Amino acid sequence: MYQLTTKRIVLGITGGIGAYKSAVLLRLLRRHGADVRVVMTQNACQFITPLTMQALSGKTVHIESLAQATESAMLHIDLARWADLILVAPASANFIARVAYGFADDLLSTICLAATGPIIFAPAMNQQMWLNAATQDNIEKIKTRGIGIIDPVAGDQACGENGPGRMPEAEDIALLVAKSFTSNKLRGARLLVTAGPTREAIDPVRYISNRSSGRMGYAVATAAIEAGAKVTLISGPVNLPTPDRATVINVLSATEMYSTVMQNITQTDIFVAAAAVADFSLETIATQKIKKTSALCTLNLKQNPDILTEVTALHKPPFTVGFAAETENLEANALTKLRTKKLDMIAANQVGAALGFDAEMNALTVFWDNERKQLPQASKSSIAKTLITLIADKYNEKNTQKAH
Ligand code: PMT
């Protein structure tokens, strides 16, 4: 049984008889937990109605960029960034050719051009069209740009011919899509992730906290599981479903998070600190609700232990990745944290209204040694996948160096 929980998929449908299978594919993707938005070309609407796809997806079906302009002036960018995967099934010979040559003359081709995340095409067409050198050249061209191809299968075709060109069955495509989210890059590695905010009690009913939703840390945990790691997630109070196959330990305060991390750290190969941990807590927590006795009230705060610093000070620290949430001087502040906390890597986010805390999207600049990598704005799940790939590469590099 495969899982697509929390995955956001744009299902593109182009004009071809295989479009009838897209309805079953949509149902399967949704049944396995994916959030799916359907984008159809005008030709696709000749083979299957947008109403069918709307009823099955429970969402508006997008067809033309111009017709959708009133809904959102930047629909193609929004959908391209929203998606963890763009799946075009069926992808006609004409559509493949247009993408190969960079055309952006309808919503679906524009989304493919604007996408920064993974794209998979399931080509389907007459067997001679599939075998034609022009189509094969176009397939090679888009493959070299990183577009995944689910090869068509051979068999009887709707046109009466027999040969390669049929779109595989929806079950097979859904399985390949699920597999595309997994890798073996972290197979066997034990990963500890912190996520969400902490709460510092003031009295029995009040606390100090922050706007972290936990989404970034949960996305990192999920991406690590999909890369084959064994994941323990230490979570502050959030309102998110538990990632499948993660061991989750719930905590409230920074000191609780600190002691839980330290209890688990010796069984950890990679530590990723995505939690927004309170730097201070109350010197004394009032045992009774504080009364409104005067106009001013002073709270005395003391510094909490810095979890990252304590972890990297261990005799045998794991590969340690911190986050830096900054409202200004992103690079300078992140580099200072990388050095002073003795981290292997730091993922810095400029936090603001639409990014970082409690937002759907994020953008990161990742720093390590004297290098850096920009992870452009995308869904947190997509950003986490790229981050985990980067962490896996650097972690494996470090282990190889140690072995020599
Ligand atoms: O949860 P979301 O809504 O998805 O938002 C994601 C996020 C913005 C919270 C996340 O991407 C992020 O940036 N997390 C770190 C937030 C933070 O507290 O940054 P900081 O710059 O204050 O701390 C730097 C690093 O030190 C962090 O890795 C933090 O976990 C760690 N730290 C901080 C304090 C402390 N006492 N101990 C720590 O280990």
Side-chain angles (χ1 to χ4, degrees):
M1 183 61 73
Y2 53 88
Q3 280 296 336
L4 288 167
T5 322
T6 73
K7 297 292 175 255
R8 299 155 156 195
I9 299 175
V10 165
L11 174 60
I13 307 174
T14 71
I17 187 62
Y20 79 93
K21 293 182 185 169
S22 310
V24 184
L25 179 58
L26 169 58
R27 288 198 67 181
L28 283 173
L29 296 174
R30 288 199 68 203
R31 190 181 302 156
H32 289 285
D35 184 358
V36 187
R37 303 286 154 87
V38 177
V39 178
M40 298 175 71
T41 63
Q42 284 290 2
N43 285 341
C45 302
Q46 310 293 321
F47 290 90
I48 187 161
T49 71
L51 196 59
T52 304
M53 300 311 283
Q54 185 172 315
L56 292 174
S57 69
K59 302 266 165 51
T60 306
V61 169
H62 305 288
I63 303 165
E64 282 286 344
S65 17
L66 292 179
Q68 300 292 338
T70 46
E71 185 188 327
S72 162
M74 300 293 278
L75 186 67
H76 57 294
I77 304 288
D78 290 348
L79 280 171
R81 286 189 179 152
W82 172 85
D84 297 320
L85 172 72
I86 293 159
L87 169 67
V88 182
S92 66
N94 176 52
F95 185 75
I96 292 165
R98 279 168 39 227
V99 170
Y101 285 89
F103 279 65
D105 52 0
D106 65 3
L107 182 58
L108 189 54
S109 52
T110 314
I111 289 171
C112 290
L113 206 60
T116 52
I119 304 179
I120 296 178
F121 283 5
M125 63 198 73
N126 164 273
Q127 50 112 10
Q128 280 304 339
M129 290 170 75
W130 170 249
L131 294 171
N132 191 294
T135 305
Q136 289 304 314
D137 281 355
N138 291 335
I139 291 284
E140 283 314 308
K141 207 180 286 259
I142 62 174
K143 268 187 183 171
T144 58
R145 291 188 207 134
I147 295 182
I149 300 293
I150 298 176
D151 280 334
V153 291
D156 289 337
Q157 298 205 295
C159 55
E161 294 180 16
N162 186 291
R166 284 166 57 98
M167 187 163 104
E169 295 308 318
E171 287 78 5
D172 298 330
I173 297 180
L175 199 59
L176 289 168
V177 164
K179 275 196 185 152
S180 77
F181 286 108
T182 64
S183 78
N184 275 330
K185 275 191 164 269
L186 283 177
R187 195 162 60 172
R190 298 161 302 173
L191 203 117
L192 185 66
V193 189
T194 63
T198 58
R199 274 185 195 169
E200 306 307 322
I202 297 173
D203 66 18
V205 295
R206 304 184 180 96
Y207 57 79
I208 300 172
S209 192
N210 60 64
R211 290 174 44 215
S212 168
S213 64
R215 283 194 199 107
M216 193 67 238
Y218 274 56
V220 167
T222 304
I225 290 165
E226 287 166 355
K230 188 171 177 295
V231 173
T232 302
L233 172 61
I234 299 177
S235 175
V238 299
N239 200 3
L240 295 172
T242 304
D244 291 319
R245 289 175 281 147
T247 302
V248 181
I249 306 173
N250 293 306
V251 297
L252 278 180
S253 67
T255 24
E256 221 187 315
M257 186 171 274
Y258 163 69
S259 53
T260 313
V261 166
M262 296 321 263
Q263 277 158 24
N264 286 274
I265 206 70
T266 50
Q267 304 96 282
T268 297
D269 302 307
I270 302 172
F271 175 47
V272 184
V277 188
D279 289 318
F280 296 94
S281 56
L282 273 284
E283 214 167 50
T284 316
I285 301 170
T287 51
Q288 302 301 328
K289 186 180 168 203
I290 298 170
K291 294 290 170 208
K292 192 167 56 179
T293 47
S294 62
L296 281 179
C297 170
T298 306
L299 298 175
N300 287 327
L301 302 177
K302 63 175 182 346
Q303 237 182 52
N304 286 328
D306 189 283
I307 304 172
L308 279 174
T309 308
E310 299 291 334
V311 166
T312 56
L314 291 170
H315 174 54
K316 276 190 177 170
F319 186 91
T320 304
V321 183
F323 268 72
E326 307 296 340
T327 53
E328 56 183 354
N329 304 326
L330 181 80
E331 178 174 343
N333 289 337
L335 287 175
T336 303
K337 284 177 186 167
L338 179 73
R339 285 181 199 123
T340 56
K341 297 190 187 214
K342 297 190 170 55
L343 307 174
D344 290 290
M345 189 181 264
I346 193 154
N349 34 204
Q350 182 92 39
V351 293
L355 292 176
F357 282 89
D358 201 17
E360 294 281 321
M361 316 283 272
N362 208 1
L364 295 174
T365 311
V366 187
F367 301 91
W368 69 97
D369 298 332
N370 289 319
E371 295 186 65
R372 71 176 61 195
K373 188 176 163 109
Q374 207 81 41
L375 275 44
Q377 187 177 331
S379 70
K380 283 181 177 167
S381 141
S382 171
I383 288 259
K385 192 175 173 185
T386 318
L387 179 63
I388 280 295
T389 306
L390 190 59
I391 290 173
D393 288 345
K394 297 300 147 199
Y395 165 72
N396 291 328
E397 251 174 58
K398 194 173 173 181
N399 274 357
T400 318
Q401 280 163 12
K402 264 195 213 159
H404 286 106

